[in-house]
């Protein structure tokens, strides 16, 4: 089963062998290619230089592009994310890292009041073409302040795109699109998919990635598995859980369609609604906090547009409204997983 | 560094222009707001922060800047905008919420943006520091002319964003200047109750950069101090910090009864006004005559009047224009 | 029609005349009474001393309680909201103001990672009994950075209560509850309801308020108008719009029930679902941004619990996903209003 | 101010105890993580920041503090926790995610909280400053004994929260001490690339408070400097800033290969270790004999071993315990 997006601009496929890359490597390649292509692209963040970023996607860039364009920063997120806005206003295309999304509380103004409103404030003249990379997700016992997803926290606020790839192919193409986008893009990287040396990686995220540069459009969901009985909507890690669940369900005669949102803002409502119209059943899976989150937005979208398409109540599976506990038994109990998805689907049949 | 006579006349003119502009904005603001004051009403709704008294900071800066210098300002930015060369007609139209405004009516008085002269603002205290540092970085990386300036109030110097940006500018040795306009009040809170030290210029030492405080609120003195900082920045010698003591002749925003302000200070407002003082000074120095001064005033007023005529005649945006320019 | 909550602890009603107070005055009274009652209650914030707060609810407190307990702060939200956490940990009960909710981006960490997680982090030992007051709402041309609501921004994150009264009676009782609560409470004040000298106030917010101290429980929605044909759910200002709309609809023979959520976290899902079970139709009105917001959460709640209770698709009326424009024609066009609610209800019949 | 022999022996013992505790944590951490290192695996999953080398800061502080002093720490807090008197058994149980842990397994190693001795931490850089200032405020308002301390790394001193809290503590003249542990690295970024000035003690001037830098990483010197700051705080004379130069003998967190660290610096680690040095010093000064030193070491190790035995035998929390204590 391929997770390759049908609508993506297809890169040249000639003269290349299959290469399975991690998301980290795919992002690295996209960034390097864009930095070669456009001297205005540069990087700022903590430990993105010689360390190659905690999330392993900037290795080698310092060596190739030098300290001017690969800038380790002080632990001053307000200053350097704010600086990205000013630099972008003057024609640069910064890629700037907020190491963990959990840290947004020290610098959100620069993101949502400055970057995201720069175009609006100035009738489109002060552009803010910048990419804010940030890591999300838990499941490895990193506790309350280093395991959050905060998807809705970003997607609720206007003026910025909010995206996350679920596999290396999308990662490369979406990063290329994000860098070329004239708007601020919050580019989330899921730790369980990323492929760093210190954490496991869901194998489904490691896929064949063309060497040539290509784009995957931002704002388009991807039907990563066709099905007829139930639609499972996810994002990042939960897409892979949905795919796993679909395999189990298939054995039971239940055909699940799996939708990878890929982008929370803009949100591809059409693709989701089309799928539910076909299957009549909807499960939304989210590792962010339950309330006022992605699951509600998807369900409200479908219900408001076409409540009749639903044969039964839709189901949400998300992290409960509690801080993310450290100890494994508690954290694992709260996270979405394949078992919960399968059970929800069964209950609908 | 002394301003030339031409520069002094320019500074006088810009000060006068701002003052009259504030008076007209003030009058326009009050339209439709009596007998009951309601910020939402009238042709100029919303908040209104006037900069009467603080003009010397703006003109002392503006005299040194070119349109390639990125100027990140705050909520009280009219004087700086004028001194930076922002289009007055389009600025007035913006403040009045017209389609012909700088941002087509989307931003309003707290957010004066003019890309032509790289004027930028944010209403969140201290948050303009980062973007200015980033603009300075862009100039440096691209090897372009142009520096970056951020203006904050003395109240803003206690915001975390100030600290982070100052350090970052210093570590990267950027062509950046932070200007603190010390009008001694942050809304109702006096500097003595908000700031642990008397002079924010002393905070420059925390970043290994030069810091200077000017206390006279005199355009010439400010011109000189700014000149030193600008020269450093243009020469690639790194950032500077300036604190300019000034005076807020009005309430924090329009509608503020200033109950918190000592009576003596309110009474002393006329004598604290820097514009008549500068006028006398330039006349005494032979830079202009009374008649020439009046001509300058007349010219400035005419320009403001023209801007208001333009803005008031301009069309409002269509309701659905709201949906444009969210993304570029 | 009374907006007085039936379940509220009823104060002594003897020997008193009707007093119509603004929310600002009601809050002032609640805070003063609690400060007299408990010397650990104190205030911190910008301009809350001699100015009496921009939102007019702390007047006279400095004179009565002195500078030690009514503390004007520097413009250092991270420090003084963080300080509220530390002070609360040691037994104080700070009330701390974030002047406009729009400024949360400079200090959210202290709120959501420190205050909201203090109990969880310490198994309940480091309590954080603090109230964070903050003003929300637009409609008076205060533009992109001073008109936001950000309800979902707070309510999405666990560990804090998030509440907003729609009238002075609730304001006093809810503030008293908030101050006595051992958990952090984000207490929102809607500018259009507050009753300051510089802005108009929706008259329905100015109601009779008992002089004696009383509590209104946090986390309980209030059915402020009974009806049988459609449920209009709102919060703060939109409650009054819902009530207005209901009056118009009544003339057309449509009986609307209006639910004032009063609390977003905890969310009183039962009251909402019960109402929809009765009316079969649901309109949710919100002046916060549309996507990933309150409207979606309410709709998802009803749909997931009891999709059959809905006779037709639910409808959301919210601020669109764009920055809040300054100029009046644009802002007014985007805000929810009575006309939009009436039209939505009509379309459902 | 010199430590008494008893205090010096205590400091030595606490340093040894921490070092051995780190070694045992380190070994426990590696269980289940080979051949493939995966942070999620083993009996001690998640991140692990060790404080080897930084013990002098912790003990120099701890020697002056009582359980009424609120201590707000950061991600690298084991040594400080021990020196503050945090219950070692319950701390170890917490780090191992057991129900008997300080926070019943909800918080883990980055968030050591012990209400009994007012030990507090947060993993967000610089954000512990505000709460410590607030704790100092509470003490002052209630007229209670007890001061407040915040520890940050030298990297943390460039975070906005540092600036705001320092100013606030100074304006309100609170019994507060900010201690910067300058191990010269913030993950892979050296101080020279992150901080515009060499000594953060110089930043004290920005808040009108005394600032002192201690460069020896010697417990006695740190004891003396901390003593001065604590005395000031207890006497109601206001806050102080200390920067303590120290050394990070390990990677930033476990699994960090330190590719960024100069080879010479890595090679010099043994001689930079403050513990053997202090041992030699105390023996030379006649404060203890080799035999007494060994006895101290043995006692410290036994205590740590006991804590590990306790923690490993302790039960894990039940899955549904996750839902408790969200609200009190
Ligand atoms: C982060 C933040 N906090 C609070 C405010 C509200 N506010 C607007 S202006 C102001 C006072 C600013 O004082 P100062 O920096 O001295 O500038 P001045 O108004 O005196 O020109 C305050 C508190 C804000 N806009 N942003
Ligand atoms: C606001 C914030 N930014 C970034 C991080 C990630 N981070 C954790 S520790 C660390 C380095 C801290 O350096 P320093 O303050 O010197 O303390 P040290 O680790 O050296 O003890 C960083 C960047 C964080 N936890 N919080
Ligand atoms: Mg001021
Ligand atoms: Mg360090």
């Amino acid at each position: 089963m391929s997770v390759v997006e049908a609508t993506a601009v297809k890169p040249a496929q000639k003269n290349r062998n299959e290469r399975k890359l991690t998301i980290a490597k795919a992002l690295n390649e996209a960034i390097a290619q864009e930095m070669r292509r456009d001297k205005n692209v540069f990087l700022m963040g903590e430990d993105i230089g010689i360390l190659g970023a905690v999330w392993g996607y900037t290795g080698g860039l310092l060596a190739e592009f030098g300290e001017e364009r690969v800038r380790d920063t002080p632990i001053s997120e307000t200053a350097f994310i704010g600086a990205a806005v000013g630099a972008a206003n003057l024609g640069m295309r910064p890629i700037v890292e907020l190491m963990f999304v959990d840290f947004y509380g020290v610098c959100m103004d620069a993101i949502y009041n400055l970057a995201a409103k720069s175009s609006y404030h100035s009738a489109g003249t002060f552009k803010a073409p910048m990419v804010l990379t940030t890591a999300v997700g838990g499941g490895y016992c990193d506790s309350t302040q280093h395991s959050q997803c905060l998807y809705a926290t970003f997607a609720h606020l206007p003026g910025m795109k909010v995206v996350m790839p679920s596999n290396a192919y999308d990662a490369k193409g979406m990063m290329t699109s994000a860098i070329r986008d004239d708007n601020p893009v919050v580019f989330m990287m899921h730790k369980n998919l990323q492929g760093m040396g210190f954490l496991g990686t869901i194998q489904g995220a490691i896929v064949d990635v063309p060497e040539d540069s290509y784009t995957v459009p931002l704002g388009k969901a991807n039907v990563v598995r066709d099905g007829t009985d139930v639609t499972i909507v996810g994002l990042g890690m939960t897409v892979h859980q949905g795919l796993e669940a679909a395999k189990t369900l298939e054995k039971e005669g239940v055909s699940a369609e799996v939708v990878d949102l890929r982008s929370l803002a803009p949100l591809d409502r059409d693709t989701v609604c089309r799928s539910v119209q076909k299957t009549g059943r909807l499960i939304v899976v989210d590792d962010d906090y339950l309330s006022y989150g992605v699951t509600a937005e998807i369900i409200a979208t479908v219900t408001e547009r076409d409540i009749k398409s639903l044969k039964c109540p839709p189901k949400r599976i998300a992290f409960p409204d509690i801080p993310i506990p450290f100890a494994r038994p508690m954290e694992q109990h709260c996270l979405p997983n394949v078992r919960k998805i399968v059970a929800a689907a069964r209950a609908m049949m | 560094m002394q301003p030339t006579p031409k520069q002094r006349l320019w500074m006088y003119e810009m000060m006068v222009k701002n003052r009259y502009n504030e008076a007209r904005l003030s009058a326009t603001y009050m339209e439709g707001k009596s007998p009951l004051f309601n910020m939402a009403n009238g042709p100029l709704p919303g908040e209104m922060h006037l900069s009467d008294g603080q003009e010397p900071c703006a003109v002392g800066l503006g005299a040194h800047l070119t349109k390639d210098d990125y100027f990140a300002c705050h909520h009280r930015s009219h004087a700086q905008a004028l001194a930076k060369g922002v289009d007055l007609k389009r600025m007035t139209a913006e403040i009045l919420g017209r389609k012909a405004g700088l941002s087509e009516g989307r931003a309003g008085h707290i957010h004066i943006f003019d890309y032509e002269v790289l004027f930028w603002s944010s209403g969140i205290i201290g948050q303009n520091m980062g973007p200015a540092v980033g603009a300075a970085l862009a100039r440096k990386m691209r090897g372009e002319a142009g520096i970056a300036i951020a203006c904050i109030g003395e109240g803003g110097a206690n915001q975390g964003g100030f600290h982070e940006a100052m350090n970052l500018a210093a570590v990267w040795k950027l062509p950046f200047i932070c200007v603190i306009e010390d009008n001694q009040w942050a809304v109702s809170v006096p500097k003595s109750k908000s700031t642990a030290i008397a002079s924010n210029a002393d905070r420059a030492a925390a970043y290994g950069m030069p810091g200077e405080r000017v206390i006279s609120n005199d355009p010439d003195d400010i011109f000189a101090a700014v000149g030193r900082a600008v020269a450093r920045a243009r020469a690639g010698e790194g950032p500077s910090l300036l604190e300019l003591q000034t005076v807020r002749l009005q309430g924090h925003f329009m509608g503020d009864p200033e109950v918190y302000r000592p009576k003596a200070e309110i009474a002393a407002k006329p004598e604290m006004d820097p514009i008549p003082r500068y006028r006398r000074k330039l006349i005494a120095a032979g830079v202009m005559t009374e008649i020439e001064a009046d001509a300058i005033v007349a010219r400035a007023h005419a320009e403001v009047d023209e801007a208001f005529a333009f803005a008031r005649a301009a069309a409002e945006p269509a309701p659905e224009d709201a949906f444009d320019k969210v993304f570029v």
Side-chain angles (χ1 to χ4, degrees), chain A, chain B:
Chain A
M1 205 228 42
S2 159
V3 288
V4 174
E5 147 70 27
T7 64
V9 178
K10 272 285 175 303
Q13 299 285 336
K14 277 183 305 187
N15 302 326
R16 57 176 289 275
N17 299 317
E18 193 188 74
R19 299 184 312 156
K20 288 213 169 194
L21 297 191
T22 60
I23 288 182
K25 288 263 181 299
L27 292 176
N28 187 283
E29 198 166 270
I31 294 171
Q33 287 174 343
E34 290 306 295
M35 288 182 83
R36 283 176 211 128
R37 185 176 167 269
D38 182 350
K39 67 180 187 337
N40 294 311
V41 178
F42 76 108
L43 288 157
M44 286 191 281
E46 294 150 20
D47 310 297
I48 54 132
I50 182 162
L51 190 75
V54 170
W55 313 117
Y57 67 103
T58 65
L61 299 178
L62 176 65
E64 179 172 351
F65 300 102
E67 289 198 343
E68 272 291 299
R69 291 179 69 192
V70 182
R71 295 184 166 259
D72 273 332
T73 62
I75 309 175
S76 306
E77 288 85 355
T78 291
F80 71 74
I81 298 176
V85 179
N89 285 167
L90 293 189
M92 301 299 289
R93 304 186 86 83
I95 303 168
V96 64
E97 184 185 273
L98 174 63
M99 192 188 285
F100 288 72
V101 77
D102 312 68
F103 308 159
Y104 91 103
V106 304
C107 58
M108 191 59 170
D109 193 75
I111 301 168
Y112 102 107
N113 259 337
L114 301 186
K117 293 173 183 161
S118 195
S119 168
Y120 204 72
H121 274 151
S122 63
T125 58
F126 281 86
K127 300 190 183 83
M130 56 188 271
V131 181
L132 181 85
T133 53
T134 191
V136 305
Y140 62 103
C141 302
D142 214 357
S143 191
T144 60
Q145 295 180 332
H146 290 76
S147 304
Q148 297 168 103
C149 291
L150 306 183
Y151 305 134
T153 298
F154 284 78
H156 179 52
L157 301 168
M160 51 192 169
K161 302 187 177 177
V162 182
V163 305
M164 178 160 69
S166 69
N167 63 74
Y169 179 90
D170 283 353
K172 180 171 174 182
M174 287 166 67
M175 178 54 82
T176 303
S177 292
I179 295 170
R180 294 183 191 173
D181 200 310
D182 274 346
N183 298 290
V185 178
V186 176
F187 198 102
M188 294 179 165
M189 307 177 287
H190 202 292
K191 290 171 230 165
N192 295 331
L193 305 180
Q194 181 79 352
M196 297 93 60
F198 57 89
L199 208 59
T201 300
I202 291 181
Q203 288 306 304
I206 304 172
V207 299
D208 181 32
V209 176
E211 279 158 36
D212 292 349
S213 182
Y214 62 93
T215 59
V216 169
L218 307 182
K220 292 253 172 264
N222 193 11
V223 179
V224 293
R225 186 185 209 276
D226 290 324
T228 53
D229 299 331
V230 58
T231 298
I232 301 171
V233 175
L235 171 80
M237 184 184 70
T238 60
V239 171
H240 298 278
Q241 296 177 334
L243 288 168
E244 271 301 301
K247 277 194 216 155
T248 305
L249 290 165
E250 187 163 26
K251 292 183 202 129
E252 305 176 10
V254 175
S255 163
E257 177 145 315
V258 181
V259 178
D260 177 356
L261 289 175
R262 291 201 295 202
S263 170
L264 294 174
L267 178 62
D268 183 355
R269 301 180 200 266
D270 292 341
T271 297
V272 172
C273 289
R274 214 180 300 122
S275 176
V276 178
Q277 272 151 8
K278 184 168 69 165
T279 63
R281 297 182 187 85
L282 173 62
I283 298 170
V284 195
V285 196
D286 183 13
D287 47 347
D288 189 11
Y289 302 117
L290 175 79
S291 291
Y292 309 92
V294 173
T295 58
E297 184 59 30
I298 297 295
I299 289 173
T301 295
V302 170
T303 324
E304 196 184 25
R305 280 213 194 168
D306 190 4
I307 195 168
K308 299 232 174 71
S309 65
L310 287 163
K311 292 181 191 149
C312 63
K315 173 77 185 165
R316 337 198 221 176
I317 298 171
F319 203 93
D321 294 322
I322 64 170
I324 299 174
F326 163 66
R328 193 183 286 129
M330 296 194 285
E331 186 187 20
Q332 290 300 323
H333 180 63
C334 296
L335 282 165
N337 59 35
V338 176
R339 195 180 35 71
K340 294 181 188 179
I341 301 171
V342 170
R346 277 187 198 137
M348 285 181 169
M349 296 304 146
Chain B
M1 188 186 289
Q2 280 302 312
T4 63
K6 204 174 141 200
Q7 286 170 320
R8 295 172 92 179
L9 291 173
W10 181 87
M11 291 198 289
Y12 178 66
E13 179 163 349
M14 295 311 287
M15 294 208 296
V16 167
K17 198 196 288 184
N18 181 69
R19 185 63 60 86
Y20 182 64
N21 190 47
E22 298 293 58
R24 286 224 50 183
L25 282 172
S26 172
T28 311
Y29 188 75
M30 291 311 294
E31 286 176 34
K33 293 195 180 68
S34 63
L36 222 65
F37 184 87
N38 180 340
M39 208 175 251
N41 292 342
L44 204 182
E47 291 183 56
M48 177 53 58
H49 309 81
L50 301 175
S51 52
D52 301 40
Q54 306 192 187
E55 292 92 347
C57 311
V59 300
L61 266 163
H64 290 285
L65 302 181
T66 79
K67 74 177 182 34
D68 293 330
D69 300 324
Y70 185 99
F71 194 132
C73 211
H74 45 53
H75 56 291
R76 195 184 302 289
S77 67
H78 301 161
Q80 285 92 337
L82 291 184
K84 184 64 167 57
V86 167
D87 186 308
L88 177 56
K89 283 185 183 162
R90 294 185 64 213
M91 172 166 131
T92 310
E94 182 61 31
I95 295 174
L96 268 70
R98 307 305 163 114
K99 178 86 181 173
L102 288 165
S103 306
E104 302 173 356
R106 287 186 191 83
H109 131 90
I110 300 181
H111 311 100
I112 303 296
F113 282 80
D114 188 349
Y115 189 71
E116 294 304 313
V117 297
L118 295 180
F119 194 83
W120 185 105
S121 1
S122 174
I124 311 296
I125 300 299
Q127 290 292 312
N128 55 332
M129 295 283 299
V133 168
L137 173 64
R139 289 300 187 219
K140 189 178 180 189
M141 286 181 75
R142 295 161 75 112
E144 292 170 346
I147 63 174
I149 298 93
C151 259
I152 57 172
E154 90 296 336
N158 296 317
Q159 179 70 215
F162 165 80
H163 175 66
E164 294 191 6
M166 292 294 281
N167 181 62
L168 191 65
V171 170
W172 288 348
K173 220 180 165 193
L174 299 177
F176 168 73
I177 303 169
C178 174
V179 176
I180 301 176
E181 289 176 90
D182 174 14
N183 62 11
Q184 283 142 93
W185 290 96
V187 194
S188 70
V189 181
K191 189 181 189 185
S192 59
K193 288 205 170 170
S194 73
T195 309
I197 55 173
S199 168
N200 275 311
D202 295 346
R203 290 184 168 173
Y207 315 105
M209 65 172 81
E212 192 172 342
R213 180 172 166 84
V214 181
I215 60 167
S216 64
N217 204 26
D218 179 280
D220 296 341
D221 296 343
I222 293 172
F223 178 94
V226 171
R228 289 184 282 275
V230 168
R232 260 179 62 80
R234 296 208 196 283
E237 289 163 16
S240 310
L241 173 64
L242 291 177
E243 182 164 69
L244 310 176
Q245 187 172 309
T246 186
V247 56
R248 196 187 82 196
L249 292 177
Q250 306 270 1
H252 172 71
F253 52 31
M254 287 196 66
D256 172 4
E258 297 200 282
V259 285
Y260 50 82
R261 209 158 169 181
K263 287 223 173 61
E265 195 177 312
I266 292 183
K269 277 180 180 179
E271 67 204 59
M272 291 192 298
D273 190 337
I275 297 183
R277 206 165 52 210
Y278 197 56
R279 180 183 171 116
R280 287 193 299 273
K281 181 177 172 185
L282 292 198
I283 290 171
V287 176
M288 63 183 184
T289 64
E290 286 280 358
I291 291 164
E292 283 161 353
D294 288 343
I296 288 172
V297 170
R299 190 165 66 224
H301 287 202
E303 206 184 314
V304 171
D305 288 335
E306 199 187 333
F308 271 82
F310 170 81
R312 298 208 68 145
E316 293 198 315
E320 51 284 356
D321 288 345
F323 295 90
D324 297 340
K325 311 287 167 76
V326 179
F327 292 103
V328 294

